[in-house]
Amino acid sequence: AITPMLAPPSDGRLRVVVTNFTNTTSKREYSALGRDVAHFVRATLPTDKFDVVDDQTTDRARRTMDDPMSMGWGLRADFLVHGMVTVRGDSVVLITVFTDLRDGRFTRTAESVAPASTPQKAYDISLAHVTAWLDTAKVIRSRRPQMPTGPGGFDGRGGGREGVACAGPGRRAR
């Protein structure tokens, strides 16, 4: 079981967790890139629109949770950004992964390529992808019907609306 480390945002903003990108190369000189690109994205996302989890909290979660998805759930995030740093020829490739954690229906992946001599050029490209994905995910979420809850709504046990019998698949309601 995952124990939440943070309370949900109280101001209505959507929470975004950006984890350090994993260095998939065997080269030590690229180990700081994963941390640097994550910090860049965290620092650049608009905090008036999103509750972006800070570096220290994200690092603390990383030490106690095994994978990025667990971190996202433990930090009660709406959206998770993580990725990998790899090398292709004389270029650095950032593979950015974005997931809507609330319903899992929106996941995107993109590559950002830059010369190995100036890998920071890929940061802006990754940020542009994340910003576009956040906007798209918010629009998609606003257009989806919300699951009914509470009296007269979904009861969480497979039942129907209050007063309407629901016997389940292949069975008749009495």
Side-chain angles (χ1 to χ4, degrees):
I2 297 172
T3 305
M5 294 177 67
L6 296 175
S10 60
D11 58 4
R13 291 179 300 163
L14 297 170
R15 180 167 289 158
V16 180
V17 170
V18 182
T19 69
N20 292 351
F21 286 33
T22 304
N23 178 14
T24 62
T25 73
S26 58
K27 300 175 182 178
R28 286 191 148 178
E29 62 264 27
Y30 296 113
S31 59
L33 282 179
R35 182 192 64 240
D36 293 347
V37 69
H39 176 77
F40 176 80
V41 172
R42 273 186 220 113
T44 312
L45 287 175
T47 55
D48 59 323
K49 292 167 99 175
F50 302 104
D51 176 27
V52 182
V53 178
D54 62 75
D55 291 1
Q56 293 80 19
T57 304
T58 303
D59 287 343
R60 190 178 48 174
R62 184 177 48 81
R63 287 190 297 273
T64 61
M65 297 181 193
D66 294 336
D67 59 85
M69 296 299 278
S70 297
M71 288 175 58
W73 291 322
L75 295 172
R76 294 192 178 185
D78 294 285
F79 305 110
L80 170 68
V81 178
H82 62 105
M84 295 167 277
V85 177
T86 190
V87 177
R88 188 179 304 137
D90 62 349
S91 298
V92 170
V93 180
L94 300 178
I95 301 170
T96 307
V97 181
F98 176 90
T99 304
D100 181 339
L101 292 173
R102 293 295 172 201
D103 64 10
R105 295 182 186 174
F106 188 83
T107 298
R108 298 291 184 266
T109 304
E111 287 187 356
S112 308
V113 182
S117 60
T118 55
Q120 295 80 6
K121 290 184 177 184
Y123 294 9
D124 287 324
I125 300 167
S126 288
L127 176 65
H129 288 301
V130 170
T131 303
W133 294 332
L134 282 167
D135 291 341
T136 301
K138 281 176 56 177
V139 169
I140 289 171
R141 189 181 279 188
S142 71
R143 291 181 181 167
R144 279 204 187 113
Q146 298 297 311
M147 288 292 284
T149 58
F154 182 72
D155 67 4
R157 297 183 304 266
R161 296 195 180 277
E162 199 172 289
V164 179
C166 180
R171 291 189 247 153
R172 273 209 148 122
R174 299 179 192 197

